[in-house]
Amino acid sequence: MVSPSYYLTLSAILFGLGVIGFLFKRNIITLFMSIELMLNAVNLAFVTFSRQWGELSGQVYVFFVIIVAAAEAAVGLAIILLLARNRQTLNVERINLLKL
Amino acid sequence: MVEQFTFYFFAALAVISAVLVVTVRNAVYSAVFLITTLLATAGIFLQLRAEFLFVVQIILYVGGIMVLFVFVVMLVDLDVALRQVQFNRQKWVALLVVLAVAGQLVFALALGSEALGLPAAAPESLEPNTESVGLRLFESYMLPFEIASILLLVAMIGAVLLGKRQKPPRSEA
Amino acid sequence: MPTLFPNPEELALILPQIWLAAFGLAILLLDFLLGPRQKWVNAFGALLGVAASGVALWRLRGVHAVGVPGFGGAIVVDPFFVFFGFLFLASTALVILLSVRYLEVEEEHRGEYYALMLFATVGMMFLAAGTDLVVIFVALETMAASFYVLTGYLRRDKRSNEAALKYLLLGAFSSGLLAYGFSVLYGMAGSTRLTEIGYAFRTPSNEIFPVVALVAVAAGLFFKVAAVPFHQWAPDVYEGAPTPVTAYVSVASKAASFAVLMRLFLVVFEPMRANWELLLGGIALATMTWGNLAALTQTNVKRLLAYSSIAHVGYILLGLVAGNETGLKGMAFYLFAYAFMNTGAFAIVILLRRKGVIGDELDDMNGLIYRNPTAAVLMVIFLISLAGIPPTAGFLGKYFIFLSLIESQHYLLAVFAVLYIVPAVYYYFRIVVHMWLREATDATRPAISPAQAVALAACTLVTLGALLYAEPFVRLATYSLLGSVVR
């Protein structure tokens, strides 16, 4: 029997790695992957708690987190594609870009 | 004993691949290592008696979302994308969050599960549960399920709207 | 126990949202039948949807103080929800009215825009009603996903693309933080219902879980309302998004995030008020300071309004720090007044957009008094209100906040809150100087379309009326606090 604190520690490590990846990486797509890593850690925590309480709503929550991750990925990757496509055709009307 | 071994195997696999996700330079490698992390987590889900999520994780996350990622990595010229967005101004926010997480980690290790005050898991309490998860989803959580359908519709509209080929440039330009 | 199929009484509770979703779907289908010159029909349909939803919501107004729980406690229909629901519907209607002309100029007039706005409103309403972690999370994402797409709606505009990307990355990151906090909340209670979690919080089983949950949830929510130090996305997103969407994000999404913030802090985190009062006070002070100081040097009107909106967030948070009845009433009233005065200010920026001119630089305001006196005068009214000078709604909002701080003996915060009116007056006055004293750089006279006139009239009426005839508005804000949110 593995103690739940081990699962929670694993979840915290994965979450921390996701946060670090998000803040220190330069590549947009890797930033997205870091967010997926964070959500994955959240899922692990939910499943652990669900097991401890013997109660299933934690598992249902994970199901919704995965839906949300899918929706975010779809919208985000569409925006990345759009941005990549627009790089060549810069609109002269708006030259000053955001201070990114 | 077997349970402990399984846990350490999957945990090590998950952590090592997660470290590689955030350290390797090539985005395709990152994606592959992320898939490994997700699969290792799926293994732990199975150990925690969440077989429905085990299947969802593999089919939806690895099979759906990650394939989308790899697809886009291949499509987009990454060298240019690299310089598009920078978040270094927010680095110190990282400190805050990582500290909070590290705090929890230290406490969780130091206290052990008894001090966390969680109820002890009954060994057979959650087995086998795909049917119960389904019932739970459509009884207590039917409303969020319906809201999620709107969320997915929005995502679909968004992806089509932003992704579809554009009309010829406007007349004034 | 909830059954597989909801009974009609439960469906009546979510009828406002059902109407919005139905009209959103109808617009998506209808759009195919419309020619390029008939796209305004979409806007009309969206307004009808808002109206239908408003009628359904009006029927729910009689709910008693504790509210009516629905769907096994997943949502609650209480005065708090009804108040915020009307706030969302009002701002949605205003933004729809302002969008028609703008989208025609941008040549991006399509039905999806209005459908996404209605879906965003559905998310916001469930957010205000949600008493379950799952509902809150999914509703928040529905709202946010709609806003990501709306921000990037001008596909040919690189600024809009980049704003959408930045919004989405930071939004998804903050959702991750929030979800982690939610997982700990679930771990404490073994349930996703807020009431159960509230009970668990009174007798926490250990020291560490409440703190981690508080930090993660607060950080996630501060991102959503753009409080310092999580505000970085706001100026870029405000500048890059289409201006009506900017108005919408700054008003409606902020109100929705505050609704869930209030519910979580007052229902769940209230037992540990001693721990978060100082934290929240510090965040509010930093937010006011940074927002006001950064606004001083802006040359772009949208960026200036973005920083000023950050400052307003600081003021609204102070109401929660005070935590008494006046403070919460002040928050509700402030959000209400802010919705109208800020939309009004953005409406003037929208007026200046025409073919070939973006019109969001401070210099584009030059000589507006000669080019369109009505617009210039209205802008002055909105700016006076935003600065918090009587006789406007903004003044009354600030007054309630100050009063609550003094009542709860937060004198230092009260002093700072009053002092920061000075820089606010300065930077709002810069816009006035540009409008009244600078030579007009171009002679075009921005016209006001009928739809924009209606929206402007509504904004002006509330901005001025809320103080001169304050009683019903204050009663409205007080009404919002009846119920389970405040004990």
Side-chain angles (χ1 to χ4, degrees):
Chain A
M1 184 67 204
V2 183
S3 154
S5 61
Y6 284 72
Y7 292 105
L8 294 180
T9 309
L10 176 62
S11 156
I13 291 173
L14 291 178
F15 190 81
L17 283 171
V19 172
I20 289 170
F22 182 81
L23 290 143
F24 290 91
K25 293 298 275 191
R26 286 281 168 279
N27 186 318
I28 300 172
I29 296 179
T30 323
L31 293 184
F32 266 104
M33 291 187 205
S34 306
I35 292 169
E36 301 297 334
L37 205 53
M38 286 164 66
L39 291 178
N40 186 50
V42 170
N43 290 350
L44 184 54
F46 264 110
V47 175
T48 309
F49 287 129
S50 165
R51 165 93 175 111
Q52 278 322 107
W53 286 94
E55 203 262 359
L56 285 173
S57 50
Q59 297 198 9
V60 175
Y61 195 105
V62 172
F63 180 67
F64 283 105
V65 171
I66 293 178
I67 291 177
V68 164
E72 273 173 358
V75 175
L77 295 174
I79 295 175
I80 290 178
L81 281 183
L82 182 65
L83 199 62
R85 199 189 298 156
N86 274 3
R87 265 188 307 106
Q88 303 94 338
T89 56
L90 187 74
N91 194 335
V92 284
E93 192 176 276
R94 295 167 188 253
I95 295 167
N96 61 329
L97 291 174
L98 301 177
K99 298 164 188 112
L100 283 169
Chain B
M1 195 58 216
V2 177
E3 201 173 359
Q4 249 126 12
F5 175 76
T6 326
F7 172 74
Y8 283 119
F9 173 72
F10 282 126
L13 193 60
V15 171
I16 292 168
S17 341
V19 169
L20 287 169
V21 170
V22 296
T23 47
V24 293
R25 289 194 161 274
N26 190 324
V28 180
Y29 292 157
S30 282
V32 173
F33 286 122
L34 183 56
I35 290 174
T36 320
T37 311
L38 295 175
L39 287 175
T41 318
I44 292 175
F45 282 177
L46 201 55
Q47 195 182 21
L48 286 167
R49 314 273 156 78
E51 67 262 16
F52 172 65
L53 293 175
F54 165 77
V55 173
V56 169
Q57 175 100 347
I58 290 177
I59 293 178
L60 224 160
Y61 232 129
V62 180
I65 303 178
M66 286 318 296
V67 168
L68 194 63
F69 268 95
V70 176
F71 192 58
V72 173
V73 172
M74 302 296 189
L75 274 179
V76 178
D77 177 9
L78 285 166
D79 289 338
V80 183
L82 275 171
R83 271 172 269 117
Q84 296 270 348
V85 182
Q86 295 192 346
F87 291 93
N88 25 8
R89 280 185 296 175
Q90 255 132 355
K91 261 181 193 160
W92 70 276
V93 180
L95 207 65
L96 194 98
V97 178
V98 172
L99 277 182
V101 173
Q104 189 203 19
L105 196 152
V106 170
F107 266 87
L109 277 180
L111 298 174
S113 57
E114 294 77 26
L116 285 178
L118 290 170
E124 305 306 320
S125 63
L126 280 179
E127 224 179 356
N129 59 16
T130 304
E131 195 183 339
S132 340
V133 171
L135 279 175
R136 203 64 206 267
L137 187 59
F138 287 105
E139 281 176 2
S140 314
Y141 294 97
M142 201 189 61
L143 183 67
F145 190 81
E146 298 298 337
I147 307 174
S149 67
I150 293 184
L151 169 64
L152 289 176
L153 179 65
V154 166
M156 202 167 70
I157 297 171
V160 172
L161 187 71
L162 300 173
K164 81 178 171 197
R165 197 157 290 283
Q166 293 167 30
K167 287 175 284 184
R170 64 178 91 178
S171 46
E172 60 173 297
Chain C
M1 267 310 281
T3 53
L4 208 51
F5 294 100
N7 54 31
E9 291 92 73
E10 287 201 312
L11 282 179
L13 293 178
I14 60 166
L15 196 58
Q17 289 96 322
I18 292 177
W19 275 121
L20 287 172
F23 271 87
L25 294 171
I27 288 170
L28 284 178
L29 293 175
L30 187 71
D31 189 46
F32 288 110
L33 305 175
L34 298 173
R37 295 265 155 241
Q38 299 162 317
K39 294 293 187 189
W40 59 270
V41 175
N42 289 323
F44 187 70
L47 281 176
L48 273 185
V50 171
S53 176
V55 170
L57 195 57
W58 182 250
R59 293 240 176 89
L60 294 173
R61 74 190 184 284
V63 286
H64 49 83
V66 266
V68 183
F71 294 89
I75 57 163
V76 65
V77 174
D78 55 3
F80 183 79
F81 161 70
V82 176
F83 172 81
F84 274 98
F86 275 120
L87 188 55
F88 302 147
L89 290 178
S91 41
T92 308
L94 287 176
V95 174
I96 290 170
L97 287 171
L98 293 172
S99 298
V100 179
R101 167 71 67 81
Y102 188 88
L103 293 179
E104 279 167 3
V105 173
E106 293 283 355
E107 294 181 15
E108 294 276 6
H109 209 183
R110 285 191 305 272
E112 291 94 337
Y113 178 89
Y114 300 104
L116 284 171
M117 282 188 68
L118 294 188
F119 293 144
T121 317
V122 173
M124 289 189 272
M125 292 182 96
F126 276 120
L127 200 52
T131 50
D132 183 289
L133 295 181
V134 181
V135 174
I136 291 176
F137 188 66
V138 178
L140 187 69
E141 285 304 316
T142 307
M143 172 188 92
S146 313
F147 279 131
Y148 304 149
V149 181
L150 285 173
T151 305
Y153 185 76
L154 304 178
R155 295 178 300 159
R156 282 175 291 234
D157 181 354
K158 207 178 167 202
R159 235 169 33 148
S160 173
N161 303 158
E162 290 189 358
L165 184 59
K166 188 156 194 177
Y167 195 10
L168 184 128
L169 280 172
L170 287 171
F173 178 70
S174 66
S175 299
L177 290 177
L178 197 64
Y180 194 73
F182 281 3
S183 79
V184 180
L185 289 181
Y186 170 68
M188 288 175 66
S191 165
T192 57
R193 305 289 194 233
L194 288 192
T195 40
E196 302 274 324
I197 296 169
Y199 290 135
F201 245 84
R202 294 211 192 99
T203 51
S205 56
N206 64 62
E207 299 276 298
I208 186 70
F209 277 177
V211 178
V212 175
L214 176 68
V215 169
V217 170
L221 288 176
F222 288 156
F223 253 115
K224 302 283 180 199
V225 298
V228 173
F230 308 104
H231 64 286
Q232 309 269 9
W233 59 272
D236 292 338
V237 170
Y238 281 28
E239 190 187 348
T243 314
V245 175
T246 309
Y248 201 36
V249 170
S250 74
V251 167
S253 116
K254 192 156 282 178
S257 307
F258 263 110
V260 69
L261 190 133
M262 284 168 86
R263 216 186 262 281
L264 281 174
F265 270 78
L266 295 171
V267 175
V268 175
F269 295 132
E270 185 64 25
M272 29 181 332
R273 170 171 274 278
N275 298 31
W276 55 257
E277 204 174 73
L278 198 65
L279 171 87
L280 208 60
I283 295 268
L285 192 60
T287 307
M288 285 193 299
T289 311
W290 183 249
N292 277 320
L293 295 186
L296 290 176
T297 56
Q298 299 303 319
T299 56
N300 179 299
V301 181
K302 280 161 88 177
R303 277 189 96 81
L304 194 156
L305 288 174
Y307 280 110
S308 93
S309 89
I310 293 173
H312 285 293
V313 168
Y315 277 106
I316 301 171
L317 281 176
L318 284 179
L320 194 57
V321 176
N324 52 15
E325 202 199 318
T326 322
L328 301 174
K329 193 167 72 181
M331 287 176 84
F333 187 83
Y334 205 121
L335 284 167
F336 175 79
Y338 180 74
F340 285 90
M341 61 198 187
N342 209 39
T343 311
F346 275 113
I348 305 295
V349 183
I350 292 170
L351 285 186
L352 297 176
R353 174 76 174 105
R354 57 175 204 281
K355 285 222 175 5
V357 177
I358 301 172
D360 59 1
E361 292 297 322
L362 213 44
D363 285 334
D364 292 323
M365 288 272 172
N366 285 355
L368 189 64
I369 184 70
Y370 308 110
R371 290 154 59 200
N372 189 333
T374 323
V377 169
L378 290 182
M379 187 67 169
V380 171
I381 294 175
F382 298 134
L383 292 177
I384 283 178
S385 182
L386 283 167
I389 300 170
T392 52
F395 166 73
L396 199 59
K398 284 206 170 62
Y399 170 77
F400 279 130
I401 300 285
F402 298 151
L403 193 66
S404 70
L405 285 173
I406 290 166
E407 280 175 8
S408 59
Q409 302 180 332
H410 292 88
Y411 298 118
L412 189 69
L413 286 175
V415 169
F416 272 106
V418 173
L419 277 182
Y420 280 133
I421 291 185
V422 178
V425 169
Y426 171 76
Y427 60 72
Y428 289 128
F429 198 67
R430 277 178 64 207
I431 301 181
V432 178
V433 167
H434 274 270
M435 286 193 305
W436 292 63
L437 300 178
R438 296 285 169 85
E439 286 288 313
T441 37
D442 65 309
T444 50
R445 297 168 181 279
I448 303 178
S449 76
Q452 288 168 334
V454 173
L456 277 172
C459 292
T460 318
L461 211 63
V462 174
T463 307
L464 287 177
L467 185 69
L468 300 177
Y469 186 56
E471 199 271 329
F473 294 100
V474 176
R475 204 171 59 209
L476 191 66
T478 316
Y479 165 79
S480 77
L481 295 174
L482 293 171
S484 55
V485 174
V486 184
R487 276 172 298 277

